[in-house]
Amino acid sequence: MEETEFADVLDEWFIETLKTYKDLYVYQLENPTQVIEWTSEKRNSLSKSEILELHLPQRLFAQEIKGLCTERDFKVVRGGFTDGPVCCLVHVPGTRCAVTNDGLTSDLQVWDLGSDDRVTDVIRRTGGIRGSRNVAGSGSRIAAQPSSQPQVLHGAWSSDVQLSNVTSGQTLYKLAGPTSADPLTSLQFVSNCVFLASCCNGNIYIADTRTSAAPQLSPPLQSSPCDSVLWWADASSGLEPCCCRVIRLSSSGHATVSDLRNQKEAVSQAQLNIKTRCCCLNHVRVSWAPALDNCVAVSGFDGAVQIYNTSCWGTALLEAQPLFQHCGHAIALRSNDVPVCITSHVWHPERPRTLLSAASDGSVHVWDWVDS
């Protein structure tokens, strides 16, 4: 493209943005980030050898006329450095503590984010938690237990999942039963004690930390394409595990929704309109909206974050079109630029249509699309 043509493309996109987005704010990191995690309503943490805590733009939260609020920039609240990369990061609820993994071993690093009174601007490492087995290249998945105790579930394989106390590092529980060591794509609590361990081969283990009994194994549904290589999963939030729905997404773009109580049958399914030529195990995300019924976000296949309404899906496998696509990370690419890929996204825990997304070019966006 010529400079004038490139400028015209940007102008057209920004004009279209005014019609389709309620809010869109951009932050540029020095390096791309693989992980994003909420620490409170108006802040987020992200990392890539550097851990930052950011204030979201105040204008995003203006309740009345946004023009009266001129502050539209992210602000760095605190920061810290780590010797290795950060491939997984989780904030421990009810604390000013975060737990990370470097993707090289299954060990965890524990960080103090500092107090809200801003006595210090430094994020400090305060300890660590030993993984159950340290094999080179076996990075851990992490899930924080939603209870008053500072505890995290972690593991790199289905055979080495354990629950540990963040303060002492003591092992409180180990997942018993899986005889095969399948790489994990995610760990997720659906209640204070019940959790899902999702594997890249499509298996999901459902277990309870209150018992040493073997977990319930849920293999991929028989209707799923046999040529799918990788799988990702997420469970919807609910007051009780019985109210949860589980979505599984394959690398071929096939998505299935099932009831947590009956994983043998699909409630609905769809073939998503995504590019499946190549994808990274650690970049792909599928996640239920915590405050918007039936909606899921999908990213990691290209430079877009797609929103789908699963209430439109049926039992027959048909192609589904996204309800909305955020393509802002890739819109400014020139013809000779390296293609941008979304590395992470996360829904705001309370605002229905607000998401935070990050891309391989180091860009971080917070956006809220218009409900049309």
Side-chain angles (χ1 to χ4, degrees), residues 221 244-246 248 256-260 262-263 265-267:
L221 300 177
C244 292
R245 291 168 298 160
V246 176
R248 303 190 208 199
T256 61
V257 176
S258 56
D259 192 306
L260 184 62
N262 181 15
Q263 290 291 299
E265 297 182 4
V267 176

Side-chain angles (χ1 to χ4, degrees), residues 36-39 88-100 108-110 113 129 140-155 161-166 172 186-196 209:
I36 309 175
E37 176 76 3
W38 294 105
T39 57
C88 189
L89 181 150
V90 167
H91 171 249
V92 181
T95 72
R96 293 289 297 155
C97 173
V99 179
T100 64
L108 307 184
Q109 300 79 45
V110 181
L113 301 180
I129 300 173
S140 284
R141 311 300 175 182
I142 312 172
Q145 190 175 40
S147 67
S148 58
Q149 299 297 321
Q151 301 172 354
V152 291
L153 191 71
H154 57 104
V161 176
Q162 64 186 57
L163 181 70
S164 300
N165 184 286
V166 173
L172 306 174
S186 66
L187 290 169
Q188 181 183 8
F189 278 101
V190 294
S191 72
N192 282 340
C193 303
V194 179
F195 69 89
L196 304 183
T209 59

Side-chain angles (χ1 to χ4, degrees), residues 23-60:
D23 294 289
L24 173 61
Y25 300 94
V26 177
Y27 186 78
Q28 187 65 40
L29 295 171
E30 184 176 349
N31 294 294
T33 181
Q34 296 186 54
V35 290
I36 309 175
E37 176 76 3
W38 294 105
T39 57
S40 65
E41 181 186 355
K42 298 186 181 182
R43 280 177 247 170
N44 65 285
S45 281
L46 37 87
S47 54
K48 168 70 178 180
S49 297
E50 181 181 19
I51 299 178
L52 298 178
E53 185 175 28
L54 306 177
H55 268 305
L56 295 179
Q58 295 180 13
R59 186 183 174 101
L60 178 69

Side-chain angles (χ1 to χ4, degrees), residues 189-233:
F189 278 101
V190 294
S191 72
N192 282 340
C193 303
V194 179
F195 69 89
L196 304 183
S198 304
C199 305
C200 67
N201 62 1
N203 286 340
I204 294 180
Y205 292 94
I206 306 172
D208 192 322
T209 59
R210 295 169 297 186
T211 176
S212 58
Q216 175 188 343
L217 171 61
S218 173
L221 300 177
Q222 294 182 353
S223 60
S224 302
C226 59
D227 60 343
S228 296
V229 178
L230 300 174
W231 287 86
W232 299 266

Side-chain angles (χ1 to χ4, degrees), residues 71-326:
E71 186 55 69
R72 54 183 300 122
D73 295 325
F74 287 82
K75 286 190 175 181
V76 176
V77 181
R78 293 175 181 84
F81 292 94
T82 173
D83 294 334
V86 178
C87 295
C88 189
L89 181 150
V90 167
H91 171 249
V92 181
T95 72
R96 293 289 297 155
C97 173
V99 179
T100 64
N101 174 257
D102 58 13
L104 305 176
T105 71
S106 60
D107 292 344
L108 307 184
Q109 300 79 45
V110 181
W111 301 84
D112 179 8
L113 301 180
S115 59
D116 285 327
D117 56 15
R118 295 293 302 277
V119 175
T120 176
D121 293 335
V122 179
I123 296 176
R124 299 181 299 107
R125 180 174 172 178
T126 58
I129 300 173
R130 291 286 296 176
S132 60
R133 72 177 192 172
N134 277 308
V135 180
S138 59
S140 284
R141 311 300 175 182
I142 312 172
Q145 190 175 40
S147 67
S148 58
Q149 299 297 321
Q151 301 172 354
V152 291
L153 191 71
H154 57 104
W157 308 81
S158 57
S159 57
D160 65 3
V161 176
Q162 64 186 57
L163 181 70
S164 300
N165 184 286
V166 173
T167 305
S168 65
Q170 178 185 3
T171 300
L172 306 174
Y173 164 88
K174 285 189 176 183
L175 180 63
T179 56
S180 61
D182 301 322
L184 295 174
T185 53
S186 66
L187 290 169
Q188 181 183 8
F189 278 101
V190 294
S191 72
N192 282 340
C193 303
V194 179
F195 69 89
L196 304 183
S198 304
C199 305
C200 67
N201 62 1
N203 286 340
I204 294 180
Y205 292 94
I206 306 172
D208 192 322
T209 59
R210 295 169 297 186
T211 176
S212 58
Q216 175 188 343
L217 171 61
S218 173
L221 300 177
Q222 294 182 353
S223 60
S224 302
C226 59
D227 60 343
S228 296
V229 178
L230 300 174
W231 287 86
W232 299 266
D234 188 53
S236 63
S237 58
L239 297 177
E240 297 293 337
C242 63
C243 302
C244 292
R245 291 168 298 160
V246 176
I247 184 169
R248 303 190 208 199
L249 174 64
S250 76
S251 52
S252 66
H254 181 212
T256 61
V257 176
S258 56
D259 192 306
L260 184 62
R261 297 166 296 183
N262 181 15
Q263 290 291 299
K264 296 181 179 180
E265 297 182 4
V267 176
S268 60
Q269 60 179 332
Q271 180 65 41
L272 305 191
N273 184 20
I274 56 178
K275 298 177 181 178
T276 59
R277 290 191 298 271
C278 60
C279 56
C280 175
L281 178 67
N282 294 324
H283 289 173
V284 173
R285 298 282 189 280
V286 55
S287 61
W288 288 99
L292 191 62
D293 290 342
N294 303 312
C295 286
V296 295
V298 174
S299 69
F301 292 94
D302 55 18
V305 181
Q306 295 184 330
I307 310 297
Y308 287 89
N309 184 355
T310 63
S311 66
C312 302
W313 301 356
T315 54
L317 181 59
L318 299 175
E319 184 171 336
Q321 296 300 320
L323 176 69
F324 182 81
Q325 288 192 97
H326 175 61

